[in-house]
Amino acid sequence: MKIAIAADHGGFLLKDGLRDRLRAEGFEVADFGANSAESVDYPDYAAAVARAVAAGQYERGVLICTTGVGMSISANKVAGIRAALGTDDDEVSLTRRHNDANVLTLGARYVDLETAARLTRIFLETQFEGGRHARRVEKIAALDRAARD
Ligand code: RB5
């Protein structure tokens, strides 16, 4: 599975560790930066990953900032993106099973590398359940289309 990952200055250390962990586990991971503690703007990184995922270049995205919230708000502005902030195992599992989330956002202030790696593995390995949830996800897509009109 091809994954795009990015972070701002608040998340780059966790992003680097998570990227290396995912590669060691066999995932193909493209790193969109940032690569230092120099202050940057999280919407720029969210947009780069979200657009690449929405375009089908990557199956999933992972975005990290201090809280995970700014990345989530920004990524969800891109049509076709269903970005979800992940804080615990059950929440991440449900957002895959019910929302077909295609971007996971994490808050570096609240999750350590072990937790981030576990949440990301759940995000990557859990399947969408479809059925009644597909109808609801289609209604999210309709909101994207309505925003374009
Ligand atoms: C950067 O200071 C911080 O605002 C950012 O990392 C993020 O948490 C925003 O939501």
Side-chain angles (χ1 to χ4, degrees):
M1 181 186 289
K2 288 175 69 176
I3 301 156
I5 194 169
D8 71 355
H9 53 285
F12 90 95
L13 273 178
L14 180 61
K15 182 265 293 172
D16 285 358
L18 184 59
R19 175 203 61 208
D20 294 347
R21 181 77 69 96
L22 291 170
R23 284 177 178 164
E25 290 175 4
F27 293 102
E28 192 179 333
V29 185
D31 184 348
F32 283 62
N35 297 309
S36 79
E38 183 186 340
S39 184
V40 294
D41 298 334
Y42 59 83
D44 297 336
Y45 294 85
V49 164
R51 287 176 179 145
V53 171
Q57 293 161 8
Y58 299 91
E59 284 177 63
R60 305 270 171 81
V62 178
L63 292 166
I64 306 173
C65 60
T66 305
T67 61
V69 175
M71 286 295 199
S72 173
I73 292 170
S74 304
N76 278 314
K77 298 295 183 191
V78 175
I81 293 303
R82 294 175 300 280
L85 175 63
T87 57
D88 75 25
D89 296 14
D90 189 51
E91 179 188 42
V92 173
S93 173
L94 276 169
T95 201
R96 281 291 311 134
R97 286 158 48 204
H98 289 191
N99 312 125
D100 199 15
N102 50 13
V103 171
L104 174 68
T105 74
L106 298 167
R109 184 165 179 152
Y110 309 113
V111 294
D112 59 14
L113 179 56
E114 288 309 315
T115 305
R118 193 181 68 247
L119 293 173
T120 304
R121 212 173 303 115
I122 293 168
F123 172 69
L124 298 175
E125 292 173 351
T126 304
Q127 298 303 309
F128 178 49
E129 288 178 3
R132 68 185 186 281
H133 304 295
R135 182 180 70 242
R136 295 160 185 167
V137 169
E138 171 51 34
K139 289 188 177 185
I140 297 173
L143 292 173
D144 280 339
R145 290 193 293 274
R148 274 203 300 268
D149 295 340

